[in-house]
Amino acid sequence: MAEQGTESTGRARQPRTRTRASHSLDSVLAGAVEILDESGVQGLTIRALAARLGGGVASVYWYVSGRDELLDLAADSVLGGIFEQIADVGSDDAIDDLRTIAIAMFDTIVDRPWLGAYVLRDTELQIHSLQLYERIGEEVMRLGLTPRQVFHATSAVVGFVIGTAADLGQEPPAVVVSGEVTREQYLAKITGEWRALDATAYPFIHHIVDEFERHSDREQFAAGLDLLLAGLRLKAEAGSAEPLG
Amino acid sequence: MAEQGTESTGRARQPRTRTRASHSLDSVLAGAVEILDESGVQGLTIRALAARLGGGVASVYWYVSGRDELLDLAADSVLGGIFEQIADVGSDDAIDDLRTIAIAMFDTIVDRPWLGAYVLRDTELQIHSLQLYERIGEEVMRLGLTPRQVFHATSAVVGFVIGTAADLGQEPPAVVVSGEVTREQYLAKITGEWRALDATAYPFIHHIVDEFERHSDREQFAAGLDLLLAGLRLKAEAGSAEPLG
DNA sequence: ACCTGAACACCGTTCAAGT
DNA sequence: ACCTGAACACCGTTCAAGT
């Protein structure tokens, strides 16, 4: 992935003084993503990134304008990975395809809690985000709606996926990281608090606490997505009966 | 804007020793919200908050455990304001009520771009978030679904509102703040870039760019919400026909 | 019980200088 | 063209001390 390119003279010369570090935008972003996955947004400091790349702090600024742009580009680079997953998508049912794409997107975002907040913020900078928005929009276009409806429906799907994934992907509020046990403990703590609430004041919480305790984020997401897509299908059918709805 | 409050004795007495500042959790959070509204998450530093409160930095730590908890509590305190708006909600159509509550929530979040990321993160700390989740869940309970379906539907609505509002509320990526002109300039910049894209590679973008240029965030949100609620209504009707769906 | 100022250990960003 | 180390101006948090 990272060829050096600086010493192309064949003869392996002695680096008598430490070779100067040499980066590329790709290696900078890859390093940033590694740190983000390991230690979250807080852990991504320019100093930590420079150390991982084996260079000085200031070199990072050659490739990105600052920490914000670094985060935007790192998030976007991860989103680019989705296109491999959805390369084969193209059934005769646009809504089925929409569902497949949305779930692939969810899967990519949900186990990177840092991602949600930085995706689709700046389409000039974030080319993969734009392409994904485009890809989803193209599916929606197949439903025979008006441009306005297409815009609204596409934004709704994208907003739902990103919003829900970012929400669900939120780290437990402590420093603890990953691990099956941690999630169970986390859920147990919450359900414990919820069960201690007054049942008269919180009938809904008591109604769903058992479901919450054994819920899967992915199923919860899929269920919500299906509600949204069912509404969209309804609209598409109404639209085809009455073309200018 | 900033009255001192320390020299209320009429006679301009020499403050030989400055009166000690006195806070409360409420005043700390109110100060935090003011700063957040004025200058965003980045602008909320403990030092800036202490200065606004007229005290020393360390006093803030008497009321909150740190900056993270401050953000969580500030966000939750704003959410508490929603209950006044929805006090009268209670028609005979649960989905209509759901719609009203969701829109009130959206309105509260969308012009506070900092809010979305901190809402509903810790229900032990954030009591208003929990109560809002409860309130929405109670409406969903009226639809005659199973606990599992109620859990899923409620989470979907909440996720959609928060996610979309946080998404739409995002500041333009520069330092520019508010103003009608700024939004138009912002939209013009994006649509300009979009129109410059290759129409063959980006048919969807070209299809909706005019709509995007004149879109209203609120209408965009409402349209997406209506899709979701239409799907939910469909499910509720199917459920009442076949009680154990 | 609550507030203070100073100190500590960090951080993003810049810049003149190097290769 | 790209990298470096040191410096600057900040920041969250802690702590011993005050009232």
Side-chain angles (χ1 to χ4, degrees):
Chain A
M1 144 190 334
E3 8 169 35
Q4 200 71 4
T6 41
E7 297 190 328
S8 44
T9 34
R11 255 185 1 120
R13 230 163 163 329
Q14 280 287 16
R16 78 193 72 195
T17 66
R18 269 184 53 223
T19 6
R20 262 167 43 125
S22 173
H23 315 315
S24 67
L25 180 57
D26 277 352
S27 65
V28 168
L29 297 184
V33 170
E34 281 176 30
I35 295 177
L36 285 163
D37 282 344
E38 288 166 18
S39 27
V41 175
Q42 254 197 12
L44 180 66
T45 66
I46 305 291
R47 283 169 162 85
L49 177 57
R52 176 164 307 227
L53 296 173
V57 261
S59 65
V60 172
Y61 288 85
W62 185 260
Y63 297 98
V64 296
S65 68
R67 189 172 181 267
D68 265 13
E69 190 175 301
L70 177 66
L71 253 348
D72 280 348
L73 289 176
D76 195 57
S77 77
V78 171
L79 225 54
I82 294 181
F83 290 100
E84 296 172 23
Q85 291 177 55
I86 63 171
D88 296 338
V89 172
S91 76
D92 56 1
D93 187 319
I95 293 204
D96 281 353
D97 291 352
L98 228 31
R99 191 171 193 277
T100 308
I101 296 172
I103 289 184
M105 228 175 130
F106 176 83
D107 285 339
T108 298
I109 300 180
V110 77
D111 44 41
R112 296 173 191 261
W114 53 274
L115 226 180
Y118 298 94
V119 136
L120 211 58
R121 287 217 302 185
D122 182 341
T123 58
E124 192 177 14
L125 207 61
Q126 299 177 303
I127 213 178
H128 295 120
S129 296
L130 180 67
Q131 288 172 346
L132 203 51
Y133 187 47
E134 166 71 31
R135 183 69 183 79
I136 292 170
E138 287 174 12
E139 294 293 346
V140 176
M141 282 176 75
R142 295 168 62 192
L143 297 173
L145 302 168
T146 66
R148 178 158 228 262
Q149 290 171 327
V150 170
F151 169 61
H152 284 157
T154 304
S155 304
V157 170
V158 170
F160 182 77
V161 174
I162 296 180
T164 306
D167 214 42
L168 296 179
Q170 252 167 168
E171 290 124 317
V175 197
V176 288
V177 203
S178 72
E180 205 105 1
V181 191
T182 319
R183 178 180 145 91
E184 273 169 30
Q185 289 172 339
Y186 177 60
L187 289 179
K189 182 171 179 297
I190 294 178
T191 52
E193 291 159 12
W194 285 6
R195 290 198 175 97
L197 292 169
D198 176 16
T200 318
Y202 294 92
F204 162 72
I205 295 290
H206 281 269
H207 189 65
I208 56 95
V209 64
D210 289 348
E211 289 299 335
F212 179 78
E213 188 161 32
R214 55 169 174 267
H215 87 281
S216 131
D217 283 353
R218 203 165 186 279
E219 280 174 26
Q220 181 186 334
F221 167 76
L225 179 66
D226 283 342
L227 288 180
L228 184 62
L229 293 180
L232 182 55
R233 194 185 287 276
L234 207 62
K235 182 135 218 161
E237 284 161 4
S240 68
E242 188 186 339
L244 285 175
Chain B
M1 150 189 328
E3 11 168 33
Q4 199 70 6
T6 40
E7 297 188 330
S8 44
T9 34
R11 260 203 337 134
R13 225 166 160 325
Q14 284 285 19
R16 75 194 73 194
T17 67
R18 273 183 51 222
T19 6
R20 261 165 49 120
S22 174
H23 315 316
S24 67
L25 180 56
D26 278 351
S27 66
V28 168
L29 297 184
V33 169
E34 281 176 30
I35 295 178
L36 285 163
D37 282 343
E38 288 167 18
S39 27
V41 175
Q42 254 197 12
L44 179 65
T45 66
I46 305 292
R47 284 170 162 85
L49 177 56
R52 176 164 307 226
L53 297 173
V57 261
S59 65
V60 173
Y61 289 86
W62 184 260
Y63 297 97
V64 296
S65 68
R67 189 172 181 266
D68 265 13
E69 191 175 301
L70 177 65
L71 252 349
D72 280 348
L73 289 176
D76 195 57
S77 77
V78 171
L79 225 53
I82 294 181
F83 291 100
E84 296 172 23
Q85 291 177 55
I86 62 170
D88 296 336
V89 172
S91 75
D92 57 359
D93 187 320
I95 292 204
D96 281 352
D97 291 354
L98 228 30
R99 189 170 194 278
T100 308
I101 297 173
I103 288 183
M105 228 175 130
F106 176 84
D107 285 339
T108 298
I109 300 180
V110 77
D111 44 40
R112 296 173 192 262
W114 53 274
L115 227 179
Y118 297 93
V119 136
L120 212 58
R121 286 218 302 187
D122 183 341
T123 57
E124 192 178 12
L125 208 60
Q126 299 178 302
I127 213 180
H128 295 121
S129 295
L130 180 66
Q131 287 171 349
L132 204 51
Y133 187 46
E134 167 71 31
R135 183 69 183 79
I136 292 170
E138 286 173 13
E139 293 294 346
V140 177
M141 282 175 76
R142 294 168 63 192
L143 297 174
L145 302 167
T146 66
R148 178 160 228 262
Q149 290 171 327
V150 171
F151 169 61
H152 284 157
T154 305
S155 305
V157 171
V158 170
F160 181 76
V161 174
I162 296 180
T164 305
D167 215 41
L168 296 180
Q170 254 167 167
E171 291 122 316
V175 198
V176 286
V177 203
S178 73
E180 204 105 359
V181 191
T182 319
R183 179 180 144 90
E184 273 169 30
Q185 288 173 338
Y186 177 61
L187 289 178
K189 182 171 180 294
I190 294 178
T191 52
E193 290 159 14
W194 285 7
R195 290 199 174 97
L197 292 168
D198 176 16
T200 319
Y202 294 92
F204 163 71
I205 295 290
H206 281 269
H207 189 64
I208 56 93
V209 64
D210 288 348
E211 289 300 333
F212 180 78
E213 188 160 31
R214 55 169 172 266
H215 87 282
S216 132
D217 283 354
R218 202 164 187 276
E219 280 174 26
Q220 181 186 334
F221 167 76
L225 179 66
D226 282 342
L227 289 180
L228 184 62
L229 293 181
L232 181 55
R233 194 184 287 276
L234 207 62
K235 182 136 218 159
E237 283 161 5
S240 66
E242 188 187 339
L244 285 174

